[in-house]
Each structure stands twice: as C-alpha cells, then as structure tokens.
Amino acid sequence: MLIQTKREGEYWDFKEKYHLNAANLLHDIICMANNLVDRDSYIIFGIRDQTFEIVGVKDDENRRNQQQMIDFLKHKKFSAGIRPSIKMQSLMIMQEEVDVIIIKNSTTTPYFLIEDFSSYGRKVRSGHIYTRIGDTNTDIDKVADINYIEYLWKKRFMLMNSPLEQIIKRLEHKEEWVLDECSEGYIYSNIYKPEFKIVLYEDENDGLEQYPDFYAYAMNDPETLYRQFDIQYQGIQQFRGRIVVLDSGRYPTVIPEKSRAQFLEDYDFGYFIEGSTTHKLSDFFYIENNDKEGISRKSFFKVILLFKNEHERDQFIVHVQRNESDFKNKLCSLSEDYSALELSSQYLKNQVVKHLNTGKALNQMLIEYRNILDITLKSNE
C-alpha cells in the first residue's frame, strides 16, 4: 500500500483535505496525467502531510464525487479537447474514509490548457506543460524542462515503442485502415502510416483439420476456414498469427488462447485477455455494424472467456479449482440440445459438447466470481 511507504512519489500524492483552490486541483491533476513513469497515477485524500496519518475525508466540506470531478475537467479548455480520464474510488482504511482520484495512463500526453484558468490568485497557464519529477510537481508559474516535454510528445506518437506496439495501438482507429486485394491475398494499410500493414493470405493447413475447434459448433453453421496473417513494418514481419472465419464466413476472429484448470483433464477452454495483441486484432477484424456478424460474435463469447487481465485469469483458475463441485454442477445443469451436430462418431460429438458446456459453465462462474469481488470491495469501503 502506498500509504505504508510514508512518502510521496512519481505517481502518487497525498492530501489531508480536498483543494480549497480549484486552480491547485487542476494543476495537480495535469501534473499527474503528465507523469513520466508511464502508468496510472493517484491523488489520495485523507492522509495528513508529513506524518502520513490516516485522517479521512468524511467531514471535508470540499469533498467531491466522481461526477463533480468529471464535470470540473469537462469545462476546462484543454488542447484539442483532450482531457485526462479520471475515476474516483472511496476506501475504508483504519475506520476512516479515504478518497482516491485515479488518473488513467494514456498516450495522449502532454495535457495542457489553451486558455488560462484562474482561481483566487492562482493561475494554470495556457500553453504551459506541467509534469511531476519524483515527488514534486512543476511549479504552476513555470513549465517543465524541455527534455521532459520531449518525452511526453514522444509518448503521444509512440516513438519510444516498437513498430509492433505502434501498429497495435493504431488498430483502435479502424477508420485509418483501408483494405485492398492483391496477389498475396488481402492487405490492410494504414492511411497515415503506409509502412504499417496487415497481410492476410491462405493458410497452408486450411482444410487439413478434419474437424474445426469446438467453438465453431456454437454457430448456426459450423463451416469454417482458416487464414494466416502477418503484421508488417516496412515489409518486415513483426507478428504472425492465424484467424478462423466462423459461421460460414460471417465472423472472423483471431484464434483464442487455450488453458485449463488442473482438474479439468481434457477440458481445454478458450480465452482472450482484454487489451492483448490477439484481443485487439480480433476486435479489429470484427465489423460492428454487421448484424449477422454481431449474432455470431455473441454466440462465440458464450463459450469463450474474456478476462480483464492476466491476474484475473490466474486467480479465476484458482477459484474454479477450489470450487470444482460448483463447476461440475453447472456443467450438468446445462441442457441445450446438440442433437443436430453432425460429427462422424458419438465420441467426437461428446467431446465437442463437453467443451461447449465447459465454456458456458466457466462464463457463468466468471460472472459470479466478479460479483463476489465487487461485494467484497464494497463491504471494505
């Protein structure tokens, strides 16, 4: 816990009370949003200066909630209209309420105003780029050193990231990509960075698989085809993968990762991690405004899990292993009719049905697991 460090740092700051002066609040948020350690940052209210004693904010007359904080930022004149993204969380620590402003990390730095904001003699200045060095913010009347400003601009344009990281980031902006057919197959090219390309071509192994993966049978039509793709920078391969086109051509997706809980024996289950390369690519290939594709995608994620991060995946697997009987009860209670599945043997059919039901049961458990965590967190607030 940061409080136990009994010091402030590059991405966290303690305040005994909420700011009396709105300019000071805005200045602190901008400094934290422009931190140099490339991570979320925190302004923590209810901690006494110097002694770091937990005093809480229950009776603080200047206390703000999340909506008030968002509205406060919304009406400030930020460059290009891009402002820090924040959320607030209240915690109960040592019987005291402590509030935290979480300033989300992003690549839209540096944040700065294009119009002065003044409050009771303090002024956050237009065009001034502030940051935080160690435990100290740039003074409100000054600007950050040029080398720190250069770092923040480089962060925006991802100049310190690998070509692959830059390409993956650009996938979030589908409007930047155009699709062309060529002799190799199909090529997605970025209109602003034409050296960024995604090349789709025939999979040498397509058709060699006797049966598709189990999730193909969650679709209305189990017919599938496979394609390979290369992510290229200046014609040099940065990443190679496979996509599977499900539901007779309706829904393309990167092949999900596979894992298993220890007791599941031959029960592999498929999953994605939010924000991972494979997940971002799957979102990129998905066409949101296609109703038929949307139906196929919904069927897909009934049997495929989507974890928030690797930690959640690992902890959930432990949870499933500790609650084996609950998993098996859920598995047995699933009664969907799969009689229409056309497979060459009853054994293969049983295996496919097991995997489909495993995905559904685990998705049920994942929802319940998250609800348990939410209830536990709220009870600790």
Side-chain angles (χ1 to χ4, degrees):
M1 184 184 293
L2 295 176
I3 297 172
Q4 293 174 340
T5 65
K6 295 190 179 298
R7 66 179 182 87
E8 295 175 336
E10 296 90 341
Y11 60 91
W12 73 96
D13 192 11
F14 295 121
K15 303 290 181 184
E16 182 173 345
K17 294 182 178 181
Y18 275 78
H19 299 72
L20 291 171
N21 189 306
N24 289 338
L25 170 61
L26 180 61
H27 175 248
D28 279 346
I29 291 175
I30 293 174
C31 287
M32 284 297 186
N34 287 335
N35 76 72
L36 301 174
V37 289
D38 197 22
R39 58 167 298 162
D40 291 353
S41 53
Y42 311 95
I43 301 174
I44 305 166
F45 297 97
I47 310 298
R48 182 162 290 158
D49 293 340
Q50 307 301 324
T51 65
F52 303 100
E53 178 187 354
I54 301 171
V55 295
V57 292
K58 183 179 180 181
D59 299 321
D60 190 336
E61 59 185 15
N62 295 302
R63 189 178 186 183
R64 291 176 166 91
N65 60 32
Q66 177 167 297
Q67 191 57 54
Q68 289 170 325
M69 283 291 184
I70 291 173
D71 289 342
F72 171 73
L73 291 174
K74 183 179 180 180
H75 295 97
K76 305 301 175 288
K77 300 292 186 179
F78 280 91
S79 173
I82 301 173
R83 49 190 49 81
S85 176
I86 65 113
K87 72 175 183 177
M88 293 198 65
Q89 187 169 347
S90 295
L91 305 172
M92 186 66 71
I93 305 175
M94 303 291 289
Q95 286 75 54
E96 297 288 351
E97 291 182 30
V98 173
D99 286 352
V100 184
I101 303 177
I102 303 169
I103 301 104
K104 302 300 291 182
N105 187 34
S106 80
T107 57
T108 51
T109 60
Y111 295 100
F112 59 94
L113 299 184
I114 55 173
E115 182 180 289
D116 288 350
F117 174 75
S118 300
S119 177
Y120 297 101
R122 297 281 283 172
K123 182 188 294 184
V124 182
R125 298 177 183 273
S126 169
H128 278 218
I129 295 177
Y130 306 107
T131 187
R132 184 174 178 85
I133 308 299
D135 62 355
T136 304
N137 292 339
T138 305
D139 189 86
I140 199 169
D141 296 320
K142 298 180 180 179
V143 295
D145 291 346
I146 186 63
N147 55 314
Y148 301 136
I149 294 174
E150 287 177 351
Y151 168 87
L152 292 169
W153 281 111
K154 287 179 179 178
K155 181 180 178 182
R156 169 171 284 199
F157 295 110
M158 300 190 73
L159 297 180
M160 296 175 294
N161 297 81
S162 69
L164 177 60
E165 290 171 324
Q166 294 181 50
I167 294 169
I168 295 302
K169 180 65 178 177
R170 296 257 58 88
L171 294 182
E172 298 173 9
H173 306 279
K174 293 185 183 181
E175 71 280 1
E176 294 184 4
W177 296 83
V178 293
L179 177 63
D180 294 309
E181 188 172 2
C182 66
S183 58
E184 297 178 68
Y186 294 91
I187 296 181
Y188 288 93
S189 300
N190 188 277
I191 58 177
Y192 301 116
K193 292 276 191 176
E195 65 270 28
F196 293 172
K197 297 185 185 298
I198 302 174
V199 182
L200 283 73
Y201 51 93
E202 289 189 10
D203 189 335
E204 296 177 355
N205 296 316
D206 186 36
L208 299 181
E209 294 94 344
Q210 189 173 4
Y211 300 100
D213 282 323
F214 72 92
Y215 43 79
Y217 297 95
M219 306 291 129
N220 288 327
D221 187 336
E223 182 178 343
T224 63
L225 60 88
Y226 293 88
R227 291 288 181 265
Q228 288 189 328
F229 66 89
D230 286 345
I231 297 178
Q232 297 180 357
Y233 171 69
Q234 294 184 342
I236 300 173
Q237 178 187 312
Q238 307 293 313
F239 184 89
R240 171 166 289 183
R242 294 178 84 202
I243 65 172
V244 55
V245 186
L246 299 166
D247 209 2
S248 194
R250 289 186 182 88
Y251 177 55
T253 177
V254 176
I255 294 174
E257 306 288 338
K258 287 186 178 180
S259 187
R260 66 178 63 184
Q262 206 168 34
F263 68 85
L264 291 180
E265 300 172 354
D266 62 338
Y267 289 78
D268 289 334
F269 64 90
Y271 71 91
F272 290 103
I273 303 289
E274 285 186 24
S276 66
T277 296
T278 52
H279 181 236
K280 286 186 175 182
L281 283 163
S282 290
D283 280 352
F284 176 76
F285 292 126
Y286 169 57
I287 302 173
E288 290 94 338
N289 59 0
N290 185 314
D291 291 340
K292 291 183 178 179
E293 189 168 339
I295 293 170
S296 301
R297 180 180 171 88
K298 186 175 180 181
S299 298
F300 179 72
F301 278 105
K302 283 182 179 179
V303 298
I304 298 296
L305 283 73
L306 178 59
F307 295 110
K308 294 177 180 178
N309 48 54
E310 292 181 355
H311 177 74
E312 183 183 62
R313 176 200 61 194
D314 296 342
Q315 293 301 307
F316 177 69
I317 290 175
V318 172
H319 171 76
V320 173
Q321 290 171 176
R322 289 174 177 170
N323 295 272
E324 179 179 351
S325 60
D326 182 32
F327 165 75
K328 290 185 175 178
N329 287 337
K330 283 181 167 56
L331 204 60
C332 292
S333 66
L334 293 169
S335 58
E336 186 168 343
D337 182 16
Y338 292 107
S339 59
L341 288 184
E342 296 182 1
L343 289 162
S344 62
S345 73
Q346 188 62 40
Y347 171 78
L348 287 172
K349 183 173 180 178
N350 290 342
Q351 290 299 305
V352 167
V353 171
K354 278 185 180 180
H355 282 85
L356 291 171
N357 285 340
T358 294
K360 292 178 180 179
L362 290 176
N363 264 316
Q364 290 179 19
M365 291 188 73
L366 182 58
I367 293 171
E368 294 171 358
Y369 172 73
R370 288 172 176 165
N371 288 338
I372 291 169
L373 291 183
D374 287 344
I375 292 170
T376 302
L377 179 61
K378 289 177 182 177
S379 68
N380 290 331
E381 291 181 357

